[in-house]
Amino acid sequence: MKIQIPDQRLTEKINHKIDLKTKPLGALGQLEELALKIALILQTDSPKLNAPHIFVFAADHGIANAGVSAYPQEVTYQMVYNFLGGGAAINVFTKQNRINLQVVDAGVAHDFQENDQLIHQKVAMGTQRFDQQAAMSESQLIQCLDLGTKVVGQAAEKGCNIIGFGEMGIGNTSSASMLMSYICQIPIADCVGRGTGVSDEQFLNKIKVLQQAKDRIGDLADPRKILLECGGFEIAQMVGAMMEAASKGIIIMVDGFIATSAFLAASALDENIKHYALFAHQSDEAGHGRMLEFLDAKPILKMNLRLGEGTGCALAYPIVENAVAFLNEMASFESAGVSNKD
């Protein structure tokens, strides 16, 4: 799929509309930047957010068996049940902000029954240990990318024009660290964080395991090959979904460290995707700030979050709504009868 840069000819018109609102120039700061970007993505100076969705992509990782996480692998499927039961943070925040929530089983090591909130897209029962062999096969990677596009297509059919991306998967900060190291060209030790809260001993082991994986894999530049070698099924499906969203002119909301690693891979495949992305927050996970710097991205929130699940997207969504609201509803100096600067 080819991602087109949004037509920039509306920029002057939108900026003019923003500047004539009853406020000093630039007084709404980053909210003005958000309003402009949203309007350009949706190609109108009177944008409307329709049927907002957040997808939580879930999968297991073979690398979890190398002692890189503080939690056992079964927490992945247990948390999926928590999502489906409405008990997780993402459930609370999406309900509060009237956002449609669906969970995608991209490769959880568990068989789930049918559920209206669960999209069954399991590629396998988790990836392989990428310190020993490639995380997935080429055919599995292709399948992931294709399945990601399918999810977005279904949302688009419902009129959705803004999608938030979250994830769940024990061990997935290890995959995200590897993607960051390869794509940003940063040593792995500078990319690794404590994820779900590993001990000092586990943290040192995590760095050791991931460095061994890099030594096994060697130098890589091709984002597809990087995903194949050390990605996760949920990360790869997010890549396909993000690219499909951008190709359809849908606003992408990127959550934290893992979701941003998927966006790194997507932007390495097609840099035009950057024109469609809003970055919900800067995670407290070590390395996320450097990811955002690499992407020249300005996060909406910075609240020391490190939960995942798409929670940052849900929390930032009301600010996105307010950016649209002021653009559409705030009076201009002329309409309000207020004198402007000479």
Side-chain angles (χ1 to χ4, degrees):
M1 69 198 78
K2 180 62 179 172
I3 299 172
Q4 302 294 329
I5 297 175
D7 192 332
Q8 302 295 299
R9 287 176 292 183
L10 272 173
T11 303
E12 186 176 351
K13 183 179 181 182
I14 298 162
N15 277 330
H16 184 68
K17 185 176 180 180
I18 291 171
D19 290 346
L20 288 183
K21 298 296 184 183
T22 48
K23 60 173 182 61
L25 284 174
L28 285 175
Q30 194 176 342
L31 211 62
E32 298 185 17
E33 298 171 20
L34 275 174
L36 173 62
K37 189 161 192 177
I38 291 163
L40 285 173
I41 294 170
L42 300 181
Q43 287 292 287
T44 173
D45 65 343
S46 301
K48 182 180 179 183
L49 303 176
N50 298 322
H53 277 61
I54 287 178
F55 291 108
V56 179
F57 290 80
D60 276 303
H61 294 251
I63 199 66
N65 295 316
V68 296
S69 175
Y71 288 88
Q73 194 173 60
E74 58 262 28
V75 170
T76 303
Y77 84 77
Q78 291 167 352
M79 280 302 299
V80 169
Y81 278 123
N82 195 24
F83 299 148
L84 299 178
I90 189 60
N91 299 100
V92 175
F93 300 147
T94 50
K95 181 180 179 182
Q96 175 70 20
N97 296 314
R98 307 170 310 284
I99 302 169
N100 297 296
L101 173 66
Q102 285 191 288
V103 183
V104 181
D105 175 10
V108 180
H110 182 81
D111 285 319
F112 297 100
Q113 300 299 313
E114 292 297 320
N115 186 297
D116 289 342
Q117 266 197 296
L118 183 65
I119 299 173
H120 296 269
Q121 295 192 163
K122 192 191 303 290
V123 174
M125 293 284 191
T127 54
Q128 301 299 314
R129 276 186 60 163
F130 63 70
D131 60 329
Q132 298 176 348
Q133 63 186 97
M136 66 187 81
S137 67
E138 187 171 353
S139 63
Q140 286 176 328
L141 174 60
I142 293 168
Q143 187 182 1
C144 283
L145 297 173
D146 288 344
L147 288 169
T149 67
K150 180 181 172 185
V151 166
V152 171
Q154 292 170 347
E157 288 175 5
K158 299 175 184 176
C160 172
N161 65 2
I162 179 165
I163 297 175
F165 291 88
E167 44 58 46
M168 177 64 216
I170 295 300
N172 64 8
T173 59
S174 292
S175 281
S177 297
M178 293 288 285
L179 265 64
M180 175 188 176
S181 180
Y182 275 114
I183 295 171
C184 301
Q185 297 185 336
I186 296 172
I188 192 66
D190 296 333
C191 303
V192 178
R194 292 182 180 266
T196 48
V198 296
S199 66
D200 290 345
E201 184 180 354
Q202 289 170 319
F203 179 61
L204 292 174
N205 177 65
K206 185 176 181 179
I207 294 173
K208 179 182 176 183
V209 168
L210 299 191
Q211 185 57 59
Q212 288 172 342
K214 283 205 76 175
D215 293 342
R216 179 193 70 78
I217 296 166
D219 293 336
L220 281 181
D222 180 351
R224 286 177 177 265
K225 186 69 173 172
I226 296 167
L227 282 168
L228 183 156
E229 286 288 349
C230 53
F233 293 138
E234 82 280 37
I235 293 173
Q237 288 198 24
M238 274 196 286
V239 172
M242 288 173 176
M243 296 187 74
E244 179 71 4
S247 74
K248 290 183 177 297
I250 293 171
I251 301 163
I252 298 165
M253 289 194 74
V254 185
D255 191 41
F257 185 61
I258 293 94
T260 306
S261 76
F263 188 84
L264 277 174
S267 63
L269 289 165
D270 192 331
E271 65 179 1
N272 289 347
I273 196 172
K274 295 178 183 179
H275 294 276
Y276 295 87
L278 308 180
F279 292 84
H281 72 116
Q282 181 175 325
S283 166
D284 208 32
E285 175 69 9
H288 191 219
R290 293 186 72 171
M291 276 183 173
L292 295 174
E293 286 176 14
F294 179 83
L295 292 164
D296 194 25
K298 186 182 292 187
I300 297 171
L301 300 173
K302 188 174 181 182
M303 299 177 67
N304 305 115
L305 305 172
R306 53 180 180 86
L307 180 58
E309 304 176 8
T311 48
C313 294
L315 290 169
Y317 182 71
I319 295 176
V320 175
E321 285 186 302
N322 281 305
V324 170
F326 102 76
L327 182 61
N328 289 332
E329 300 172 25
M330 188 175 174
S332 67
F333 283 102
E334 183 179 7
S335 68
V338 175
S339 297
N340 200 348
K341 289 174 66 176
D342 292 334

